[in-house]
Amino acid sequence: MREAGRHLVEAVLTRLTTVADGPPHAGADPGRLRQLLDGPLPEHPGSLPEAIDTAVRDALSYGIRFDHPRCLAFVPTTGTYPAVLADALAAAFHSVPGAWLVGAGPTQLELTTVRWLCELLGLPPGHGGLFLSGGSAANLTALAAARDDRLDGEGVPPGARLYCSSQAHPSVARAAHLIGLRRSQLVVLEPDAELRLPADRLRARIRADRAAGLRPFAVVATVGTTGTGAIDPLPELADICDEFGLWLHADGAHGAAAALTPAGRARCRGLALADSLTVDPHKWLFQPYEAGCLLLRRPELLRRSFAMDRHRLDTGYLRPARAGGEETNLDDYGPQQSRGLRALKLWLSLRTFGAAAFRRAVAAGTERAEYAAERVRSTEGLELVTPASLGILTLRCVPAAAGASGPGPSGAAADRLQEAVSAEVCAGGRAMVLTTDVRGRRVLRLCVINPATTRADIDETLALLAEAGRRALA
């Protein structure tokens, strides 16, 4: 066991200290992976160190390296060495923060970590919640609580309506489906000029829906859209929700972490006004997957949806695990009963590095994005589409036609150019940049929050994009 443990730690250290040595993405076709991994069922014992080597070489090494300094696609996650050890510790101790009887220590550690996270985000006392697998599970859990609280526990009547922007994360639509809404009951509004949920149109639509006899019950705001980092106007949306008695959920899976810094807190003004808030430590708090969190102004409302006693079918089973006195059973607050101790990752990282290091890292990500935006503006053949927001910016390749003084392609041809540029840069193995759509145009998107990403990495990536644009046009 010690030999295999030392072998595993060496594999982890090698991975963490050499991630920048290779390409940010290592792909493989299905046939190749079947050849490597789809062997017969092992019937007899084998070597654990050898099995570790096989997993690293033939499985774990293929895919996106989210912590690569030039992996600027999606929202990269970096992870920390303490968090890696945390997952091993939690697994070894069978740590289950569900019922207090089962995991008193793990439960208190999660409650403490939730309180620390609330403090980091500037949320007032009284907020609370629990860790989940990520933003999708957090959004689903929040909307289930909103349904039961604002629709009086009646399920989902045909007139129920939920509102969001077209810039919201797809997990919002999936959560609406899973809590029982038809797609027509999810009202998706087009964003304003800044790609935010428009408060004036939202108020008008809610008023019209109520006049038509429908039952608006919740609004989903986004704090940092995945496409452009746009921030919906939380204070104005909170006023509307108060006016009509609606639940306000803020999906801050990525962007809420900006509130660690004074400038970011000003930009994310109104987090404390939301009834529920999603934040993913495995994004801008530098934790490995899985580490999502749901925070509520009134966390006790989760019990209305998820308390074990509400759903108990057998009067005897699990009765000894009921919480008493000041005990907390976190399986009364969310959809899972057997839960991993996800909070240990963030707890151990905060104990190791201190909150100030996290604040500096978040601030540095914001500064890198501003730098990248300025470099785009000054690079021939590139055009900034949306400004830096929460570490995210979008741009387009706009090289001039060869031998011409006028602009390059437009419309569908320009969209195809962005796809070609992304494909060439990714295939080259020196950077990974993908595309998204902004106002009906295909754009290139960068997210530069990785603490390992330097200005030199940004310069090199932008040079690669500009050169690929010129070659693609030629």
Side-chain angles (χ1 to χ4, degrees):
M1 290 168 67
R2 288 190 176 92
E3 177 189 354
R6 285 191 291 267
H7 195 76
L8 178 61
V9 167
E10 286 301 321
V12 168
L13 292 177
T14 298
R15 169 62 178 76
L16 294 180
T17 56
T18 62
V19 63
D21 294 350
H25 178 252
D29 64 80
R32 169 64 174 161
L33 290 183
R34 281 195 299 271
Q35 181 183 6
L36 291 173
L37 296 168
D38 195 15
L41 172 69
E43 196 66 47
H44 303 290
S47 164
L48 178 53
E50 288 180 8
I52 290 171
D53 289 342
T54 299
V56 170
R57 182 186 64 247
D58 297 341
L60 305 184
S61 295
Y62 291 102
I64 294 178
R65 294 168 181 163
F66 284 102
D67 49 351
H68 193 288
R70 291 186 303 282
C71 180
L72 308 181
F74 304 111
V75 176
T77 189
T78 54
T80 68
Y81 185 59
V84 173
L85 300 182
D87 275 346
L89 277 174
F93 282 83
H94 302 286
S95 301
V96 180
W100 188 269
L101 174 69
V102 174
T107 297
Q108 183 55 57
L109 187 143
E110 179 162 334
L111 292 171
T112 297
T113 310
V114 166
R115 180 176 60 78
W116 287 355
L117 184 54
C118 291
E119 184 177 340
L120 282 170
L121 298 176
L123 299 176
H127 276 70
L130 76 167
F131 275 74
L132 295 135
S133 61
S136 294
N139 287 341
L140 172 60
T141 304
L143 291 181
R147 174 200 60 194
D148 292 348
D149 184 62
R150 299 305 160 103
L151 296 176
D152 306 318
E154 298 175 1
V156 180
R161 291 295 183 271
L162 170 67
Y163 303 84
C164 70
S165 159
S166 63
Q167 304 301 296
H169 192 271
S171 63
V172 173
R174 184 161 52 188
H177 168 71
L178 291 173
I179 66 169
L181 273 72
R182 300 187 302 275
R183 190 57 183 260
S184 60
Q185 294 177 278
L186 175 63
V187 179
V188 181
L189 299 176
E190 287 305 307
D192 63 16
E194 297 178 336
L195 297 172
R196 309 180 309 164
L197 178 59
D200 53 349
R201 273 180 269 159
L202 175 65
R203 176 180 276 108
R205 180 60 185 266
I206 293 172
R207 186 175 287 124
D209 285 349
R210 291 188 67 175
L214 302 177
R215 291 190 62 181
F217 75 98
V219 172
V220 176
T222 305
V223 184
T225 60
T226 52
T228 64
I231 305 169
D232 288 340
L234 289 177
E236 292 91 335
L237 299 179
D239 287 343
I240 294 171
C241 289
D242 287 344
E243 178 183 345
F244 294 103
L246 276 58
W247 181 290
L248 177 60
H249 173 61
D251 179 4
H254 165 57
L260 268 68
T261 71
R265 190 166 298 180
R267 291 209 64 203
C268 299
R269 188 169 54 94
L271 288 181
L273 301 175
D275 294 286
S276 54
L277 170 65
T278 290
V279 57
D280 275 3
H282 65 217
K283 290 187 171 70
W284 211 352
L285 289 176
F286 318 111
Q287 302 304 296
Y289 300 111
E290 302 172 343
C293 193
L294 175 64
L295 305 172
L296 279 79
R297 278 198 295 176
R298 297 173 57 200
E300 68 274 8
L301 291 178
L302 289 171
R303 290 180 54 83
R304 180 169 185 175
S305 296
F306 299 107
M308 292 295 294
D309 280 341
R310 174 184 177 182
H311 303 288
R312 194 181 305 277
L313 301 177
D314 186 305
T315 58
Y317 180 62
L318 295 180
R319 184 183 297 277
R322 282 176 171 166
E326 296 183 0
E327 298 173 354
T328 299
N329 279 4
L330 285 174
D331 57 11
D332 285 334
Y333 290 80
Q336 283 186 275
Q337 187 172 342
S338 300
R339 307 170 58 241
L341 184 54
R342 300 180 179 101
L344 184 57
K345 291 191 270 279
L346 183 58
W347 185 89
L348 206 58
S349 297
L350 285 167
R351 286 289 302 268
T352 302
F353 300 112
F358 283 82
R359 294 189 181 98
R360 289 193 299 271
V362 170
T366 301
E367 292 166 3
R368 278 191 298 274
E370 296 289 350
Y371 172 80
E374 287 302 317
R375 293 291 294 150
V376 170
R377 292 188 183 100
S378 62
T379 300
E380 183 179 357
L382 300 181
E383 171 189 70
L384 190 67
V385 177
T386 57
S389 179
L390 303 180
I392 297 172
L393 63 146
T394 65
L395 62 144
R396 278 164 71 91
C397 276
V398 288
S405 58
S410 61
D415 288 346
R416 289 193 296 273
L417 176 62
Q418 314 312 312
E419 294 285 359
V421 166
S422 170
E424 179 175 331
V425 169
C426 290
R430 291 165 62 189
M432 186 171 190
V433 178
L434 298 180
T435 63
T436 188
D437 291 344
V438 174
R439 303 186 187 96
R441 297 194 302 166
R442 196 67 37 84
V443 299
L444 299 159
R445 173 188 172 280
L446 306 183
C447 183
V448 295
I449 63 172
N450 184 347
T453 301
T454 65
R455 291 189 172 193
D457 291 317
I458 292 170
D459 291 344
E460 178 179 350
T461 300
L462 294 180
L464 291 171
L465 294 173
E467 178 59 28
R470 287 189 289 271
R471 277 198 299 270
L473 187 60

